[in-house]
Amino acid sequence: GESVGLHLPTLSVQEGDNSIINCAYSNSASDYFIWYKQESGKGPQFIIDIRSNMDKRQGQRVTVLLNKTVKHLSLQIAATQPGDSAVYFCAENYNNNDMRFGAGTRLTVKP
Amino acid sequence: DAGITQSPRHKVTETGTPVTLRCHQTENHRYMYWYRQDPGHGLRLIHYSYGVKDTDKGEVSDGYSVSRSKTEDFLLTLESATSSQTSVYFCAIRPRGLDGELFFGEGSRLTVL
């Protein structure tokens, strides 16, 4: 079974809107979390990370929020663009060498 | 570009045949990983390496072996391929060590008939 994430839900948004992608993780001892983007036929690409001593981190157009109380992670994408269409994965540093991934969320951006 | 090259990128083989996938990195990073990706399961760790000749099992290691005789190469071998090993295989490196993110290669799509 999976320790992280939801079973590939889909999210469809209009170009220019904000997107929020959610993820649940299972190990309360996990201390490091990452969001990846994967386009069709390519490997996962690092977007942003956050450590457990933080609850929010911002990048360029992206923000990651961490709620350790309920073991929840979210990725917010501002002003979503067609190029943001992809599958997004969250990952938790489950046990140092064991980075565990969710099944992903497919984001579709409508022009 | 994470400096990772996987080969072959695509392979079709028959049940019972041996298969070796190669991951080559150009930057001498210590940590290397093999994951498989299947619909509904995300990415799952097969084996990893923390140096030359130092490897360990991941979550789904049954049916797979690995070798790392040089820092730059991490080989994944299926001694006798089965249809359940049809998957996309990704190699990854971890340049900042256990404190940092994984960088992935472009994947190797394996079909076992």
Side-chain angles (χ1 to χ4, degrees), chain B residues 10-21 36 38 63-64 76-89 108-113:
Chain B
H10 300 272
K11 186 172 181 66
V12 180
T13 192
E14 294 189 347
T15 298
T17 60
V19 175
T20 296
L21 304 179
R36 62 178 286 174
D38 305 289
Y64 301 94
L76 176 70
T77 297
L78 292 65
E79 301 289 349
S80 178
T82 66
S83 58
S84 66
Q85 294 175 310
T86 292
S87 188
V88 181
Y89 292 86
S108 295
R109 181 175 292 276
L110 176 67
T111 301
V112 184
L113 301 176

Side-chain angles (χ1 to χ4, degrees), chain A residues 1-2 7-8 32 34 36 38 41-46 49 51 89 93 96-104, chain B residues 9 31 33 35 37 40-43 45 48 50 59 90 94 96 98-107:
Chain A
E2 294 189 26
H7 285 277
L8 202 57
Y32 179 56
I34 304 175
Y36 285 91
Q38 187 176 27
K42 295 189 174 183
Q45 179 185 3
F46 171 86
D49 57 3
R51 302 202 181 271
F89 296 93
N93 200 25
N96 271 348
N97 260 316
D98 191 359
M99 185 72 72
R100 297 219 173 164
F101 291 77
Chain B
R9 294 290 314 279
Y31 296 97
Y33 302 78
Y35 283 84
Q37 185 175 35
H41 288 279
L43 289 136
L45 181 63
Y48 61 95
Y50 38 96
E59 185 184 4
F90 287 98
R94 206 164 184 182
R96 293 196 292 155
L98 298 179
D99 249 4
E101 66 275 35
L102 292 164
F103 288 96
F104 287 88
E106 293 294 281

Side-chain angles (χ1 to χ4, degrees), chain A residues 68-87:
Chain A
K68 293 183 288 293
T69 302
V70 295
K71 292 187 287 187
H72 183 268
L73 200 63
S74 68
L75 176 70
Q76 300 177 1
I77 305 173
T80 314
Q81 303 167 0
D84 294 327
S85 293
V87 177

Side-chain angles (χ1 to χ4, degrees), chain B residues 18-37:
Chain B
V19 175
T20 296
L21 304 179
R22 179 183 183 235
C23 178
H24 178 79
Q25 58 146 329
T26 57
E27 299 178 5
N28 290 324
H29 295 299
R30 180 181 176 189
Y31 296 97
M32 297 185 77
Y33 302 78
W34 276 108
Y35 283 84
R36 62 178 286 174
Q37 185 175 35

Side-chain angles (χ1 to χ4, degrees), chain A residues 12-25:
Chain A
S12 183
V13 300
Q14 207 68 39
E15 182 178 356
D17 287 352
N18 297 333
S19 303
I20 299 176
I21 300 170
N22 296 302
C23 172
Y25 64 93

